[in-house]
Amino acid sequence: MIKLFVSGMAFDSGQSGISDYIINSVRELLEHASIDLMLLKKDLKAFPVRHKNLRFILVPNCLEKPVLNMAWHLFAVPFCFRLGKYDGIFLPAGNRRLLCRYPVRTVATVHDLSQFHIDGKYDVFRMFYIRHIIPHFLRKADYKCAISESTKNDIMQFFRTPKTEIVLNYNGYDDRRFNSEYTSGRELPEIYKGKYILYIARIEHPGKNHLNLMKAFEMLPDNIKKEYKLIMPGKLWSGSDAVTDYHSNSDDRDSMIFPGFVDGELLPEIYKSASLYAFPSYFEGFGIPMLEAMACGTPVACSDTPSLVEVGGDAVEIFDPADPESIRDSIMKLLSDEDQRKILIEKGLERVQNFSWKAHAQRIMNCFMI
């Protein structure tokens, strides 16, 4: 059994898609390797996996601050830790945290390069870091895992990375929880009782596109707005003021609800109780929530962005994320056409069978075995 060093320094307190990725990839990799996982001390409680092959390397919480975290990870980790004693290094957030040198074989997962597609996604410093620092040090890693064909093409185009160094490695979903039979045994909060349209994403503007989804909801006929709520769970993130300001000035604000970050144990039942999952994001590397919704038997309407179309296939209703009327029309279609709903639900349940964390981890392990 090989021994891996894995960085969890982009764990985001367990409240992001990256944190879900770290949890699920580490859980499956533990079936093949012993792992030393580096985490901030405060993140240990939020990391749910415990295993005989897992050891934690805990670092001070003062390293949580983004700029310090980036610099320390890049220049200090390669020299402060004896990385040469490992058989390999796995960097699960390769588009955020890299090393300046790699003493052993290294595999880095790149989730998306949305900053090249969305103007103003981050502040000037972070944009410089991602566009100029990350590409230089990513090229030094032996293998780059791209979670979709869309991300693979972006790595080749924007980072000038040879195709031979990129491994297409689709994400999975947690099929133990996201299925029709799972129950947490807990009662859903009151806001999830009744009919609702669901969108789960951090409240990040403009990338996650909450504004156009709210505008589309406002355009729905009055009888639909009386029957359905729009619920958008997620943690406040960069640019969220634009979203909350728009919401507070909307005549339909009482029907458009932001409940904050959702307990992961409740997510499957929240999906199952939704009438529709809407995914208006301007850009995604993959779109795990789409798989989770499909696996729970909820029809999905999503942006016609490359990765979502790639992952969703013919099991989703697509719309133009820049056009609120297009979003509204897709929502109306799936709320009113019962035959189309049934077709997409059946296709979704079949589609998710193509994606698994077990297969994802095996492809990572294959990189270390070459």
Side-chain angles (χ1 to χ4, degrees), residues 281-300:
S281 181
Y282 277 121
F283 194 86
E284 293 287 335
F286 184 82
I288 291 176
M290 181 161 61
L291 293 185
E292 294 172 343
M294 288 178 179
C296 291
T298 302
V300 175

Side-chain angles (χ1 to χ4, degrees), residues 175 177-183 268-269 272 294-297 349:
D175 57 0
R177 294 194 301 129
F178 296 98
N179 58 65
S180 60
E181 299 179 357
Y182 176 86
T183 176
E269 290 164 298
K272 282 187 285 187
M294 288 178 179
C296 291
L349 291 171

Side-chain angles (χ1 to χ4, degrees), residues 17 33 36 40 56 146 272 299 335 357:
D36 283 0
L40 292 167
F56 295 100
K272 282 187 285 187
L335 292 182
W357 288 120

